[in-house]
Amino acid sequence: MEEAFAATGAFNDTLKADGYWVFAGGLAPAATATVVDGQGEAPVMTDGPYLETKEVIGGFWVIDAPDLDVALRLAAEGSKACRGKVEVRPFDGLA
């Protein structure tokens, strides 16, 4: 795990140096999650992750890539660094 943290830190440094970095962050374990459903008259809160699954999101990167090819290349590098799968999606921007 320490190797993955070190490799991910080096990858983050490369993203910053190459001008792709916007922000990134790690997430606490899924067991610490609280799901909030505020669609009714009173919010309903339940412990645990929204989805019961073997895979969880451990963190994320938001990068500024000029096109999908660059984003996919960076995702491959990030996947190698963090030793996990990386999902690529367009970011709709800040509200």
Side-chain angles (χ1 to χ4, degrees):
M1 193 63 135
E2 289 180 25
E3 289 177 1
F5 288 151
T8 301
F11 175 68
N12 290 343
D13 292 342
T14 299
L15 287 175
K16 291 173 186 175
D18 292 345
Y20 297 119
W21 179 268
V22 176
F23 66 91
L27 299 172
T32 66
T34 301
V35 178
V36 179
D37 184 349
Q39 299 176 77
E41 286 190 34
V44 176
M45 298 178 203
T46 55
D47 291 337
Y50 177 69
L51 298 175
E52 295 294 332
T53 178
K54 289 189 272 184
E55 295 180 332
V56 297
I57 297 173
F60 62 92
W61 288 281
V62 175
I63 63 168
D64 184 11
D67 57 49
L68 181 59
D69 291 336
V70 172
L72 295 174
R73 177 179 57 80
L74 293 171
E77 293 173 16
S79 173
K80 185 174 186 174
C82 73
R83 292 156 173 80
K85 295 178 183 176
V86 172
E87 180 179 331
V88 176
R89 291 190 199 183
F91 185 61
D92 285 336
L94 299 174

